[in-house]
Amino acid sequence: MTTIRTICCLGAGYVGGPTMSVIADRCPDIQVHVVDINERRIAAWNDDDLVKLPVYEPGLAEVVGRARGRNLHFSTDVNAAIAMADMVFLSVNTPTKTRGIGAGQASDLRWIELCARQVAEHAQGHTIVVEKSTLPVRTAETVQAILGSNTQGRSFVVLSNPEFLAEGTAIADLEQPDRVLIGGEDAAAREALASVYGRWVPRERILFTNLWSSELSKLTANAYLAQRISSINSIAALCEATGADVNEVARAIGSDSRIGSKFLKSGPGYGGSCFQKDILNLVYLCRHYRLETVARYWESVVEINTWQQERIAQLVVSRLFGTVTGKRLAVLGFAFKANTNDTRETPAIRICQALLEEGARLAIHDPKVDPDTIASDLGCASSDADGGWQFCPEVAAAAAGADALIILTEWDAYASLDWAALAMVMRHPAWLFDARGLADLEAARAAGLKVWRVGLGDPSLVLAA
Ligand code: NAD
Ligand code: UDX
């Protein structure tokens, strides 16, 4: 078996940074070099002030604090790190293509290909190359072809080891994973990688498959998770129309051990960098293999997600007498979920853009997202004009003079807001739109707010109708 002494990871993003930090923390005898072409990102990973790490994850600062400088190193010297490594992880971005063949669906593999070429050029001796990025099935073939074209006495093995961490719980997910998946045929390489994880992951949780099953399992896991969210969101709309309550329905169906209770929380639709991209990629692969009906099945998961966001924006407008032009609306939460500063594909983007389009003045609050990110996501600088947005560091300031509070991210702090104090500074009639179902509705109603909550129908109204 190859003994791993030095690891290099290309890509110091949301996956590469936390994953390698945990590996370094758990394997003090392995030198781990995390490299990136983004100098600002690497500088932030090296910042003395651990609060300034480029990724916000509960527990991450402690892990980095223990390992950095000891056996965890962040640098922009990609080639040197590749040359030193026994094992190279590819953890670079694989976004949806925006142009050319497969635009809007297929993964853009240019960064993966560039990395493979860099490894082919700079690796020394025997190198195990590990696909950590989420990739279309059979990408390992491409990586192998690039590595194989330039061996010059060196040797390479490619493994697939997709990452299942969720943002906001990344450290817990990495430290206690449900499973670690390793795809590949080379027994020695598989064992070398398993022995890294084996330092802290029970052996029975390390699964081995062939390369293609491993690549496809990652896309499938994300498609299944996203499908559960679209399913419950579709039922939420039916609850609102019929007087049922989606939380009660979720509890009732989730108690069936065959269905299970996780991923049944209705909300403004899923966001994040993975679900949409990975399902679209799956759809593209199905079409590539001429499985049109299968492609359409998975495509509908994305359609429901988009529809849910549009539906929420429309119902806000409709409850506010059909117009929000010039009205101040407080948006609570911009991140795609709580406990992260990540806004990629956050439902807040589509919902805010729709409200801005209607001429609303948005007062946006988020405890972790900075205003520059919001400006870039919304495609416009902040302004106090109609159809403009402003960032408010405090909820109370966002609520001042607002006709509505719209909860889009389930930050804990939003569950225990002082509704009476907020209602006092709002313009009435004032609304609470709770797209995450976390507020105490009775308290909000008692404070004089009108209330809409995702998936909550009004049984009496339906009976009267
Ligand atoms: P990211 O955009 O946060 O990070 C990728 C990094 O790779 C960037 O910092 C970029 O500068 C760097 N990079 C690009 N080309 C490079 C090169 N040639 N050399 C060195 N660095 C290079 O992306 P991410 O969220 O960390 O995701 C990475 C992969 O992991 C994607 O395939 C994604 O689908 C997958 N994934 C993401 C998550 C998640 O929660 N974010 C979870 C599981 C899997
Ligand atoms: C997801 C997968 O969970 C993870 O395994 C994979 O590695 C990367 O993609 P992530 O996107 O970080 O992780 O977060 P996740 O917790 O899955 O949430 C995704 C979106 O779904 C968020 O917008 C979240 O708010 C939403 N969601 C999740 C719901 O609306 N309801 C739920 O019940 C669960």
Side-chain angles (χ1 to χ4, degrees), residues 5 14 38 42 61 113 123 154 181 208 231 261 314 338 366 379 435 444:
R5 294 197 183 83
Y14 284 87
N38 182 331
I42 290 297
E113 186 179 328
R154 293 135 344 123
L181 183 56
F208 298 102
S231 296
S261 59
Q314 279 163 16
D366 190 286

Side-chain angles (χ1 to χ4, degrees), residues 15 57 134 163-169 173 179 218 221-222 225-226 228-229 232-233 261-275 278 305 335-338 340 342 345-347 408-410 436:
V15 169
E57 278 294 338
T134 304
E163 184 48 60
F164 295 98
L165 68 78
E167 290 181 27
T169 53
D173 294 342
R179 79 315 210 171
K218 175 63 198 177
N222 275 353
L225 291 168
R228 279 174 74 95
I229 300 170
I232 200 70
N233 284 341
S261 59
K262 292 181 180 164
F263 269 70
L264 284 182
K265 182 83 185 127
S266 180
Y270 58 76
S273 63
C274 294
F275 283 173
D278 294 347
N305 199 53
F336 81 96
K337 62 188 275 195
T340 176
D342 195 348
E345 303 290 340
T346 176
L408 295 184
T409 310
E410 73 284 20
R436 289 288 184 172

